[in-house]
Structures are given as structure tokens and as C-alpha cells.
Amino acid sequence: MTSAVVFKGVSRHFGSVRAVDEVDISVAEGEFFAMLGPSGSGKTTCLRLIAGFEQPTAGEISIFGQPAQGVPPYKRHVNTVFQDYALFPHLNVLDNVAYGLMISGTSKGERHRAAEEALELVALPGYGSRKPSELSGGQRQRVALARALVNQPKVLLLDEPLGALDLKLREQMQEELKALQRKLGITFVFVTHDQGEALSMADRVAVFNEGKIVQVGKPEDIYYRPEVPFVADFVGSSNVIPPRITEKVTGTWTTAAVRPEAIMLGDKGLPAKVRATSFIGTSTRVSLDLDGSQMVALLPKGQTIPEIGEHTHVSWAEDDIHLMEMTDE
Amino acid sequence: MSDVILDTDRKGILTRISDTLWRNPRLTILLLLTPPALWLGVVYLGSLFALLVQSFFSIDEFSGLIIREFTLKTYAELFTPANFDIIVRTVLMASAVTIAAALVSFPIAYYAARYAKGKWKAIFYLGVMLPLWSSYLVKVYSWKLILAKEGILNWLFETLHLSWLLNAYLSLPIIGGNSLSVSWTGTFLVFLYVWLPFMILPIQAALERVPRSMMEASGDLGATPAQSFRHVLLPLALPGVIAGSIFTFSLTLGDYIIPQIVGSSRRFIGQAVYAYQGTAGNIPLAAAFAVVPIVIMGIYLWVAKRKGAFDAL
């Protein structure tokens, strides 16, 4: 199978800032690929490198096997859904969606029909005559999606497209986007800082930190088997356990990760003191102090919630602790 | 800790005024708007109306006295060949200045809006505004010297052995003349220079509001930079261009000093108004001439609106 997008040792430096630093990526055709990381980690710059808005300082990018070096955005069969949607305010919804086809010289009747179809695809039929300013955030997001899809791109790039939507709408759009990607079979490259979004939608996730990819893998691997403390901490806030405690439990001197929901409180295990508790809906979050190390446990409904200041013991099932590479810290 | 929660004891004349204004927002707006409304509404619009009324009077050709009776005779006079020439000449000049100003301003405004940051932005504003701080007359006379036969421009052409080029240009009918300083080209150049800031600033303000992602989105959808300019940037900048053109166009339509100092002896609307209300004492015709730019601007804005120039607002 051909790779849709390949990065080979790609760097993008802005002055002395290494926004993207020797990144290797290979996105398979038809894959839903998420780039996850905190702001400033280089994920958006990677997306812009694929779109052609940025040129790499070093390294090679190829799209469907063709080198993308020096190819301007308007010659790439790659379309983008922008974070701010970037809808043209002077055009109505139909002309916004039909823009790419208008540029390529498609006749008015034909491009309006195609745009109408694209609007149907994103569940906005009949909205063509409205101006973008008359739409809600969620509707604008759909129009941006329709506009990017109407050109039938080989790769669709999405730059935090759900960031501006409220929680309920975001969850709904996540499902729709995933369904749409399955239906169309287009390669999606999705940038987000929301780990839940990346994990629930993507086939594979690349976790970015400080311009580098720290781990690539299936969502389950990223979640349950983080390779470095950063991934453990950033993706769903695992407890990162320092070597001296790991050694007590497993006998190996290394850093490890334990998920908060895997932690049990009771009479056995390591002694700990309860620092704070907070009710967060489906469960209660308990902050613990283990001999100077901080740890968080999530207790499901129905469990006894300890008092603040109470002494307790912390334990977990043997396969819930995940050993990681040692870090320089 | 203080026991006072609602500090109703705070009194004093200023506090009381504040309280009253806070409770009556309508009163506040009324107080704020009355002075400018009086100034603009009564003094400015009032005199404009008085002018309009004057233009419907006529002058007795023998006594030179104004006959205060409604007539369209004065307006008819505007269409005599001599007067109509003045109007056409002025409108053509104003159009040429406006188009040239838009063409020159766009790249400068684009640079300032898109690329200039921090220090360079300050330099841009300073560079654009600085000419506005010096006297208008000084600038126009400086241009007269620059464009004169003994001026620096002529010297430059001579030094470059290009005098023949300048002479060939000056020998052209209408736009040529004895020297640049007495040609309409000279008038045009000075108008262009003097009104340029009024075009640059509105365009820059309009371009400033176009997010970078807008042009990227256009390119992303397959548009070449030229197509993006045509279909996205220009329509979005158009309200700014129109705003700027209102300035350059109406300022040129009404100016009477620049064509007096730099240019040929044939008159523009502003000079006609100046001459008729002064030495000639023909206030009605001066008023009728003064109405012309207002009507032209009205038509211009109406057409611009019809063509969708303000759709992006």
C-alpha cells in the first residue's frame, strides 16, 4: 500500500526556534491519523508543511510518493479545514463551498450542484444562500468541511476543527467526522491538543512534544502502554512513578506509569496520605502523597471516599503498571 | 473588615452627578451627543442647506444683484460649454487621481497590514502621516519647484541624457505643457502625493481585518496568488478602497489651491467656485458648482453599493 504522506527527517526552524525537529512520519492511505500535543509542540506546523504553507528547513516530504519540495499549496491535491474555518465572508455558503470548483473552471450549474451535494454530506442542505456570519459555530465548521471535501482531495487536513465547539456538539462532530472518513475513504490528518478526541477518532496517534514525535501508535497503545513519561502524563494524565517507588514494587529501577482508575485504596500496598478529594461526576478524584511523590486515583461511584489527611495504602493489579524508558530527569 | 457593604454614605456633588448619570443612561447619551449634533447638524448641515438654497436663486445680469426667486436657470448655466468643460475636467482628474492612488496605495497598505511588525509598523505610520503634519502650501510649492523647468526633475532627466523623453512627453496634447509645473500631469502628481495617506490608511485598516488564513484557504483550494487576490483579497479590501476613494475623489473635486499653483490656466470646479463667489460675486452659480461634487459623490456611492462594494462589511 502506498503511503499518503511521508516525512523523512523533516525540520522547520523559525530563527532559533525548532518548531519541527527531525520528524519522521508515514501516514497510510485511507488512514485517520491524529497529531496530538500541547500548543507549540509542532503539530500544526507539520500540518502546514503538508498543506504547503510552510517549507521544511531540512528533510523531505512526499505526498503519494511524489516529492512535495517547492510545490505551492495551490498545486497540491490536499485540502484543509482551518481552525478558524476561514470561510470567505463576502460569499454565501454555496459559493464558499463551490470556491475550489469555481477556481478550477467548473461551470456554474455543475459546481453549484456539487456544492449542494457536499452540503448534504455535512447535513446542511438548503443553507446555500446564507452568509457565513448567519451561521452558528457548528454550522460554520460543517461548511468549512464541505468546502474542503468538494475538491475531492487525496488527503484532508484538519487543524483543531472542533476546538471552538461546545462539549456536546464536539462529541457529536467527532462521531460524524469518523463516520464521514469511513464513508469517503479519504486520508485524514487531524491535529488536536485534546487527547480524548485523538484517542476516540484516530486509527493511529502521533504524540508531539517540543517539535519531536515522542510516540506513534494505536490509541490503546498510547493510552495503556506509554513509552515515555510525557505521553503517560499528557495522554489521559497517568501517574508517573519515580524509579525508587517502581523498584519497591517491581524490583526494576525505572520510571513507570499507572492509570488513575487502576489505583485501589485499602489496607495493602504502599502507604499514602490523602491530600484532597474532589467529586467529578462519574467518579471521585483522590490526590495522594506517597512519601513525597504525588499520585492521583479515580474512585468509581460506590467506593468509600477517604477523608482528607487520612492514612491509607495504594495498590494496583500487576499488569496495570507499565514500565517506561528512563528519562534524563 | 469593613462593615459597610452598600456605601450609600458616599456623597458629594461629583458622586451625585455620577449616580444620576448611571441611573439615566439615556440622559448620558443625550449629554454626549448634543454638542456634536449642534455642531454637525446646525452649523455644518445648516450652511450646506443654505448653500443648496442659494443655488436655486439667480443673478440679475445688469445689476449683479441676487434675485431671490426659485429658478433652475443657474443649474442650466452649468451646462454651457465653458462650465461643463470645467466639470468634466475636474471629474476626469479626480478619477485619475483616485485610481492612481488606489494602485500605489495597495502594495504599501498590504505590506503594512501583512508583514510590518513593531518598529516597522511605527515607521510605516510615521512615513504615511509625516507629510500630513507639514503645511499643505509648503508641500505644494515644493512640488512646484521640483517640477519647474529649472527644477530637480528636469536636471535629473538632463543628467541622465533623457531630456528628449521628457520633452516628447510634454509635447503630448492635454497632459503636456511648457514644463511639468504648468501641465496637468504636474497637477495630477501633486494631487496624488497630497491625498495618498487618505487612501493608504483605509485600505490598510481593511486589509488588517483579513485573517492570514483567508488567503491560505484560497490557495489551499487551488487558487493561484493572482486568483486569490481577485476573488478574496480585493473583495474584502474593497470597502477600504471605497472609503479611501471617497477621500481622494471628493478632496480632488473640491480643491482649488493645487491647480492654482501647479497646472495649466484652465480651471477646476474649486477654482470656479472660488472665482464666482469672490470677484464675480455670482453666489448662485458658485453654489450650483459646489453642489456638483456632492451629486457626483452621491451617484458614485450609489453605484458602488449597487455593485456590491460593501458586501464584505
Side-chain angles (χ1 to χ4, degrees):
Chain A
M1 199 158 84
T2 36
S3 290
V5 179
V6 176
F7 275 38
K8 267 188 204 149
V10 169
S11 296
R12 178 70 176 100
H13 300 168
F14 298 100
S16 61
V17 181
R18 290 159 181 254
V20 173
D21 200 12
E22 290 181 31
V23 162
D24 295 299
I25 307 178
S26 178
V27 181
E29 189 176 353
E31 192 177 25
F32 199 132
F33 190 84
M35 304 204 276
L36 172 67
S39 59
S41 60
K43 56 194 194 305
T44 297
T45 309
C46 275
L47 198 79
R48 294 172 60 81
L49 284 164
I50 303 174
F53 304 137
E54 304 281 352
Q55 293 293 323
T57 313
E60 277 169 33
I61 299 172
S62 56
I63 298 171
F64 282 91
Q66 291 180 314
Q69 177 70 27
V71 179
Y74 53 89
K75 286 187 182 162
R76 298 185 183 205
H77 285 292
V78 166
N79 287 123
T80 309
V81 177
F82 288 81
Q83 189 172 11
D84 63 357
Y85 313 143
L87 298 178
F88 305 127
H90 59 296
L91 300 178
N92 66 24
V93 167
L94 197 66
D95 284 329
N96 258 288
V97 177
Y99 187 84
L101 297 173
M102 188 265 287
I103 290 297
S104 66
T106 312
S107 74
K108 193 166 190 170
E110 206 168 311
R111 68 176 187 251
H112 279 177
R113 200 174 39 76
E116 200 60 69
E117 265 170 33
L119 282 174
E120 250 164 64
L121 193 67
V122 297
L124 279 181
Y127 277 70
S129 59
R130 302 200 192 181
K131 279 284 178 79
S133 56
E134 294 165 345
L135 302 180
S136 70
Q139 290 169 335
R140 278 181 218 183
Q141 205 273 326
R142 286 159 193 265
V143 174
L145 190 61
R147 185 178 68 174
L149 287 172
V150 84
N151 279 11
Q152 301 179 313
K154 302 285 267 179
V155 182
L156 185 74
L157 308 174
L158 302 106
D159 186 8
E160 307 235 7
L162 309 181
L165 306 182
D166 60 55
L167 183 65
K168 211 165 168 200
L169 202 55
R170 198 155 61 207
E171 285 171 350
Q172 186 194 338
M173 279 309 293
Q174 284 175 13
E175 285 173 19
E176 286 184 23
L177 269 181
K178 201 171 173 181
L180 196 65
Q181 194 264 343
R182 292 244 169 82
K183 186 173 158 192
L184 300 172
I186 296 174
T187 312
F188 274 34
V189 179
F190 187 98
V191 158
T192 181
H193 66 268
D194 184 322
Q195 62 278 28
E197 209 163 273
L199 297 179
S200 70
M201 294 166 79
D203 297 325
R204 276 196 310 149
V205 179
V207 184
F208 279 74
N209 186 32
E210 292 175 348
K212 288 180 188 290
I213 292 183
V214 287
Q215 189 174 350
V216 189
K218 291 192 176 123
E220 304 86 69
D221 292 338
I222 300 281
Y223 192 74
Y224 290 114
R225 288 173 284 280
E227 284 164 9
V228 290
F230 176 81
V231 175
D233 184 47
F234 185 74
V235 183
S237 40
S238 274
N239 291 300
V240 176
I241 305 197
R244 63 190 165 82
I245 295 180
T246 316
E247 195 187 23
K248 273 191 219 165
V249 184
T250 64
T252 320
W253 178 264
T254 184
T255 334
V258 180
R259 303 220 43 82
E261 61 270 24
I263 290 176
M264 295 176 285
L265 301 183
D267 301 330
K268 48 188 180 83
L270 302 163
K273 194 177 165 193
V274 178
R275 282 161 41 88
T277 62
S278 53
F279 175 66
I280 53 167
T282 50
S283 53
T284 299
R285 192 186 138 95
V286 182
S287 304
L288 301 151
D289 184 277
L290 264 89
D291 194 15
S293 300
Q294 306 304 319
M295 196 175 268
V296 171
L298 284 179
L299 300 184
K301 189 175 160 245
Q303 286 215 13
T304 348
I305 308 303
E307 296 290 321
I308 294 169
E310 199 180 313
H311 289 272
T312 181
H313 289 82
V314 167
S315 61
W316 49 79
E318 210 172 305
D319 54 0
D320 278 335
I321 185 161
H322 179 74
L323 304 185
M324 296 186 287
E325 293 165 15
M326 277 297 291
T327 47
D328 312 332
E329 289 158 52
Chain B
M1 211 172 91
S2 166
D3 291 334
V4 182
I5 294 166
L6 300 179
D7 191 1
T8 46
D9 287 341
R10 259 178 73 192
K11 288 202 173 93
I13 184 72
L14 288 178
T15 313
R16 231 173 262 172
I17 292 173
S18 298
D19 290 358
T20 312
L21 291 178
W22 184 81
R23 286 190 199 109
N24 302 294
R26 277 162 187 277
L27 179 71
T28 316
I29 292 170
L30 193 74
L31 284 176
L32 286 173
L33 286 186
T34 307
L38 282 176
W39 177 253
L40 264 178
V42 179
V43 180
Y44 181 74
L45 286 180
S47 21
L48 206 64
F49 182 73
L51 177 85
L52 195 69
V53 172
Q54 291 278 346
S55 66
F56 289 108
F57 296 156
S58 63
I59 197 156
D60 188 292
E61 281 171 29
F62 295 107
S63 62
L65 292 175
I66 295 165
I67 306 165
R68 294 176 192 280
E69 274 168 32
F70 178 84
T71 173
L72 289 173
K73 202 179 113 212
T74 316
Y75 278 104
E77 258 181 76
L78 287 179
F79 293 95
T80 58
N83 287 342
F84 197 66
D85 262 4
I86 295 178
I87 294 172
V88 171
R89 184 180 303 141
T90 312
V91 171
L92 285 179
M93 177 60 81
S95 311
V97 169
T98 300
I99 291 166
L103 290 178
V104 174
S105 299
F106 210 99
I108 303 174
Y110 186 76
Y111 164 78
R114 191 54 37 101
Y115 299 106
K117 296 258 153 36
K119 186 180 78 175
W120 289 106
K121 200 136 207 163
I123 290 174
F124 159 78
Y125 278 118
L126 209 64
V128 172
M129 310 272 262
L130 202 61
L132 292 178
W133 300 349
S134 65
S135 160
Y136 168 79
L137 278 177
V138 169
K139 282 183 291 183
V140 179
Y141 274 108
S142 317
W143 269 99
K144 193 180 175 68
L145 293 179
I146 292 170
L147 298 172
K149 228 184 177 74
E150 308 78 27
I152 188 166
L153 212 60
N154 233 327
W155 171 82
L156 191 72
F157 273 97
E158 254 167 51
T159 314
L160 296 172
H161 302 287
L162 288 171
S163 288
W164 57 272
L165 194 67
L166 184 62
N167 290 332
Y169 181 82
L170 287 174
S171 66
L172 293 171
I174 304 173
I175 54 174
N178 273 333
S179 79
L180 279 173
S181 64
V182 295
S183 70
W184 280 339
T185 305
T187 321
F188 166 82
L189 286 174
V190 180
F191 270 135
L192 180 60
Y193 168 78
V194 171
W195 306 144
L196 205 54
F198 297 96
M199 183 63 99
I200 295 176
L201 293 175
I203 297 183
Q204 187 243 352
L207 289 175
E208 200 93 42
R209 283 171 42 204
V210 180
R212 184 181 292 259
S213 62
M214 213 63 88
M215 290 297 276
E216 286 179 349
S218 176
D220 189 69
L221 293 163
T224 60
Q227 287 173 314
S228 298
F229 175 82
R230 160 82 186 75
H231 294 291
V232 176
L233 196 64
L234 194 61
L236 292 177
L238 211 53
V241 177
I242 298 289
S245 70
I246 291 170
F247 288 126
T248 55
F249 197 69
S250 62
L251 286 169
T252 313
L253 281 181
D255 194 85
Y256 67 99
I257 295 177
I258 291 171
Q260 186 92 10
I261 299 172
V262 179
S264 80
S265 56
R266 273 162 295 187
R267 289 187 298 184
F268 284 81
I269 289 180
Q271 290 166 290
V273 174
Y274 182 73
Y276 282 123
Q277 64 87 37
T279 45
N282 191 344
I283 300 272
L285 188 56
F289 258 118
V291 170
V292 173
I294 300 173
V295 173
I296 292 172
M297 286 313 293
I299 295 170
Y300 174 62
L301 287 181
W302 179 72
V303 171
K305 189 170 162 28
R306 282 284 301 264
K307 294 271 175 201
F310 305 112
D311 284 4
L313 277 184

